Amino acid sequence: MLVNKKWFFNSSYYTSTSFKTFILIITILLFGHYPGYANKTPGEMQNKVVSFNLHVPASTQPVIISNADVQIKNNWASPLTNLPVSKNNEWKHTNREEIPKVLAKTPGTLIRDVFVTESLSLTREVWISSAKDEISTRQRLHNISQKPVYLKSLFPVLLAGRNSLQFQGESDAGNWDIMIQERLKNGHPRVVHPGENDKFEIDPFCLIHPEKSRGNTVLLIGYLSQTGHCARINLQFEQEQPIVLKELLAECEFDSCLVPPDGERTSQWVFIKLAADPNRLIKDYADKVGLYHGIKEPPRSAPSVFCSWYFHGPQYNEEYFYNDLNDLKKEHMPFDVFLIDECWGIKRWGDFTAIETWTRGMKDAADRIRALGYIPGIWSCPYLVDFNSNLAAQHPEWLLKDKHGERILFRMNDLDHWVLDTTFPGVCDYLEEAYRKLSDDWGYEYFKFDFMRAIFLDKGQRFFDPYATRLEAYRMGLEAIRRGVGPDAYISVCGGHYGGSLGLANSQRSGSDVVSIWRSNEIPKFRQNILRTWMSRLWHVDADAMMVRRREEKFHSDRELSLGLLTDQEANTIALNQYIGGGLVTFSEYLCELDADRKALYRHIIPSINSPSDPIDAFNLNCPTQMLTRIEPVCNQLDSWVTLSVVNWSDDPKTFNIVLSEEFLKTLNGERFLIFEFFEQKLTGLYKRGDTIAINDIAPHTSKLLRIAAWDGNNPILVGTDLHFSGGGVEISRWNVKNNYIEGAIDTQWLYPVTVSAVFPARNADEFILQKITVQPGQRNFRIDYPQNIDTL
């Protein structure tokens, strides 16, 4: 027998991934399973570390990232500048450095290689974590010539051709499920198959799940750093049989900005990780983004916001404003912010002055809002300038231009607008002072900024500062605004750049504008919310407004915003969408017209639970139907539980058979679980791990909300309330189990009766007794006595 002596005598080989993989294959062939995994639960398998082997050549040859599940070949890609593109063999390797480096609070090793041509130096950096389960790479361009260079793009990742990304056991890319994220709030995060299209543009990350791969592999490729310049991932396939990858290209867009002699520009870090659980993988990625940028987790106090837009639109005025205030005087609704949306400065954007329909001015409006106990909020579009504004007349030089010297146009609400060039001297000072006026002089504390994409959407703009990128210009303006409103003001960005707002925005919109009508083209908007809940690690996610009014005729003849055509079941699902988002709660109604039963729906979502949901069927091609929410109750005497939202988005009845797998139960202790359905206020039963819950014939557009709590069978337990969708997560403030009764308290500003449901143990271990009591409005304390009989449910 021939023996490779290098392997035989190298003891490190026996602890290497290659040797472990060899032993794994031989063991499976001999015994049908690997003993190390034979007794592992699905949850343990999902959380296992998937490590990489890394080969980084001291040349322009591909960097190889591999393990038993996948092989990735990252090819060399020359920067795109105004200079002729250098061929790979024209780049000379001059230096290698291998040093310890902590990236996003994770220790690891950085391999840095420097390559040069006559005019440029390009540094390739490849980082691998100490656990070998995470890899990041980026490029750094250094202008070593005597002249400025125009930099268009850097390409830290280039997977070119069918052999550049290979999954074990899956050769047909047509079998890949790919979850893509998109840059703009109106973009559609979704799951695609390469056979449906051959080109996709992604920002900031994608998940690739080959259906037939060994080990239920999911690969994440995305941008770790997200400021400094725009970046995208271009994904393209060859429509052959089988379908194969043509290219996966990470393009860091520098917009032909100038790099001076001896100047440098650095690309974003591209992050690569492999796992079995897609939700865990996305959470890890979001946390890494937060840690890299020094972003703390948002506070558990996402506000609830009444918004004026989604009924009157731009026709909201003082008359309607006073009507809303009068209704709130008559019947207080316990939300936090009263937001005056777009209406107060129409055709004067850029001047920050109120129009004639607000005769008493915006300071007076803020004072009236505060007098009712609400936080004053105001909408604006910081980067847009109207043609007839004073700003445009006084400072035409402040307006952003293209390479031909023509002013950039941005169309909003069927009107063209000019755009501010935030790099022009004086513009950021103007924005800072304007927003200091809105904050300090007028008294607003909550700011919604719209159409922020105007400054970076067009790629043909030429900023006054030739060294600035689109994203740097975007962030310069937002930093100035933050200085103006102050550190304690709440900034909600709508239609901006997600990464570019990091650390400046308190919340960001996760989707497109909505209407109170159920249509098939509204489904992607629900999907926007569900597939962007991961952003809650970085800011409060705003799923856009909930509207549940009944109205069959338009209030304003030119707009359908005021319509309300939802059935009762659809209204429940619309409310549940806000809960699933787990962050900001926003709603819009003309309060004097709102029916009592529809108004009552808001008690189910206000206050926010501040816990985003995970889509269990994340790779659902239409829209995820099962969303899991972990509840950490405000009452520390209660253990945590989860809720499962089950939604039939389709137009036909649907049956769901839900297996209580580790995916649902991994955060809960115990072996038995009580399940309570919210809308029917019905205890479904007592289940064990692995049991199946059959939900038969859910009507179209209808939802079920299951509260799942571990139960030891010995002690009384809360199983739900009819107030908040969390089932006691925000409203139960005290829960004490005494010898023969439960003593508790409810804290809520909602003036509705609250039914509290609890389960008590019966004589037999598999039996239980359900007890309900109703706490009247204004009553805080309650008592639930032990049942006098042992009749079971």
Side-chain angles (χ1 to χ4, degrees), residues 36 65-66 103 116 227 254 281 308 335 345 359 373 409 436 552 571 615 643 663 701 737 744:
I65 304 165
S66 64
L103 187 64
V116 297
T227 59
F254 286 89
L281 187 57
S308 68
F335 58 86
T359 57
L409 293 177
R436 186 170 286 116
E552 296 183 358
T643 63
E663 198 165 13
H701 316 162
V737 178

Side-chain angles (χ1 to χ4, degrees), residues 33-298:
H33 68 272
Y34 181 57
Y37 293 139
N39 297 316
K40 296 280 186 181
T41 66
E44 290 172 317
M45 289 292 289
Q46 287 180 339
N47 294 326
K48 68 184 177 69
V49 173
V50 181
S51 60
F52 289 112
N53 296 312
L54 178 64
H55 173 64
V56 183
S59 69
T60 57
Q61 291 299 306
V63 173
I64 308 297
I65 304 165
S66 64
N67 60 23
D69 297 314
V70 66
Q71 178 173 276
I72 303 169
K73 293 182 179 180
N74 186 21
N75 295 275
W76 176 268
S78 296
L80 189 59
T81 69
N82 61 313
L83 303 175
V85 177
S86 300
K87 298 178 181 179
N88 288 6
N89 59 9
E90 294 175 336
W91 291 93
K92 305 303 180 185
H93 185 267
T94 62
N95 187 56
R96 163 165 285 196
E97 187 179 19
E98 190 168 333
I99 57 173
K101 179 177 178 61
V102 175
L103 187 64
K105 300 266 180 98
T106 303
T109 300
L110 179 69
I111 303 171
R112 180 182 291 141
D113 289 287
V114 181
F115 302 83
V116 297
T117 62
E118 182 179 348
S119 302
L120 300 174
S121 169
L122 190 66
T123 300
R124 179 188 64 202
E125 295 183 334
V126 182
W127 175 89
I128 184 168
S129 64
S130 296
K132 301 189 184 304
D133 62 332
E134 298 173 356
I135 287 178
S136 291
T137 185
R138 70 177 180 181
Q139 292 179 333
R140 181 183 295 132
L141 179 82
H142 181 200
N143 181 6
I144 59 176
S145 73
Q146 300 302 309
K147 297 180 179 180
V149 171
Y150 290 93
L151 176 60
K152 298 178 182 178
S153 298
L154 292 175
F155 308 98
V157 169
L158 170 59
L159 312 185
R162 68 176 68 200
N163 296 325
S164 62
L165 179 56
Q166 295 177 298
F167 292 95
Q168 181 67 32
E170 179 59 88
S171 60
D172 186 353
N175 292 325
W176 295 0
D177 289 325
I178 306 173
M179 181 192 293
I180 67 173
Q181 297 282 328
E182 293 191 337
R183 176 177 299 170
L184 302 177
K185 64 117 176 169
N186 291 334
H188 290 291
R190 62 197 186 276
V191 175
V192 298
H193 278 307
E196 300 167 359
N197 199 346
D198 61 348
K199 292 182 180 180
F200 305 97
E201 186 174 309
I202 299 161
D203 180 18
F205 74 87
C206 65
L207 292 184
I208 302 176
H209 176 218
E211 292 180 357
K212 298 179 182 178
S213 66
R214 185 179 64 80
N216 195 28
T217 302
V218 182
L219 176 68
L220 184 146
I221 301 177
Y223 288 106
L224 177 63
S225 49
Q226 297 184 11
T227 59
H229 60 266
C230 293
R232 59 183 177 175
I233 297 172
N234 300 308
L235 187 59
Q236 190 170 358
F237 294 88
E238 297 279 9
Q239 295 296 326
E240 302 176 355
Q241 291 299 326
I243 295 173
V244 297
L245 177 69
K246 180 178 181 180
E247 182 178 86
L248 187 153
L249 178 68
E251 180 182 5
C252 295
E253 307 164 67
F254 286 89
D255 312 322
S256 295
C257 72
L258 273 180
V259 182
D262 201 33
E264 281 193 353
R265 275 294 194 171
T266 304
S267 80
Q268 312 289 25
W269 283 106
V270 179
F271 179 79
I272 300 171
K273 189 167 184 175
L274 196 69
D277 182 348
N279 287 310
R280 182 70 263 167
L281 187 57
I282 294 173
K283 285 179 184 291
D284 288 347
Y285 165 76
D287 192 48
K288 285 287 188 279
V289 171
L291 291 171
Y292 180 84
H293 292 278
I295 306 298
K296 296 179 180 179
E297 291 191 28

Side-chain angles (χ1 to χ4, degrees), residues 539-739:
W539 50 75
H540 292 144
V541 172
D542 175 8
D544 204 16
M546 167 178 164
M547 299 163 283
V548 290
R549 68 185 74 98
R550 294 184 180 95
R551 182 172 247 284
E552 296 183 358
E553 295 181 359
K554 295 177 182 178
F555 188 89
H556 301 284
S557 59
D558 61 335
R559 291 184 175 269
E560 66 175 14
L561 276 176
S562 59
L563 295 177
L565 305 179
L566 300 172
T567 67
D568 289 345
Q569 291 75 21
E570 291 166 350
N572 287 340
T573 299
I574 295 294
L576 195 60
N577 182 57
Q578 291 282 324
Y579 172 75
I580 289 167
L584 204 71
V585 172
T586 308
F587 70 104
S588 249
E589 305 286 2
Y590 194 28
L591 297 175
C592 62
E593 289 191 2
L594 188 59
D595 292 335
D597 63 325
R598 293 296 177 89
K599 179 184 283 190
L601 288 177
Y602 288 106
R603 76 193 195 278
H604 299 327
I605 59 168
I606 297 175
S608 170
I609 190 60
N610 288 290
S611 180
S613 302
D614 291 336
I616 296 299
D617 53 340
F619 286 101
N620 189 305
L621 288 172
N622 179 38
C623 185
T625 61
Q626 301 168 41
M627 283 63 68
L628 192 73
T629 310
R630 179 175 171 82
I631 307 300
E632 294 287 353
V634 297
C635 176
N636 57 20
Q637 296 144 322
L638 293 170
D639 293 331
S640 62
W641 62 88
V642 297
T643 63
L644 179 65
S645 304
V646 182
V647 184
N648 179 9
W649 305 108
S650 74
D651 296 331
D652 301 303
K654 192 171 182 181
T655 293
F656 293 86
N657 291 304
I658 299 169
V659 179
L660 289 178
S661 65
E662 290 302 305
E663 198 165 13
F664 295 97
L665 307 176
K666 58 188 173 185
T667 62
L668 302 180
N669 298 318
E671 296 300 322
R672 298 192 302 169
F673 305 90
L674 288 163
I675 298 182
F676 188 84
E677 204 286 316
F678 181 87
F679 294 110
E680 295 181 3
Q681 286 291 294
K682 179 181 177 182
L683 190 62
T684 303
L686 182 63
Y687 296 84
K688 295 179 292 187
R689 290 180 186 269
D691 283 352
T692 298
I693 308 168
I695 307 178
N696 297 317
D697 295 327
I698 296 185
H701 316 162
T702 300
S703 305
K704 298 290 183 182
L705 180 58
L706 306 179
R707 184 188 188 277
I708 305 173
W711 187 46
D712 61 9
N714 299 317
N715 297 293
I717 183 176
L718 174 72
V719 293
T721 79
D722 65 350
L723 182 63
H724 196 274
F725 278 154
S726 64
V730 301
E731 66 271 38
I732 300 292
S733 61
R734 190 172 69 251
W735 184 268
N736 292 319
V737 178
K738 304 293 186 178
N739 287 333

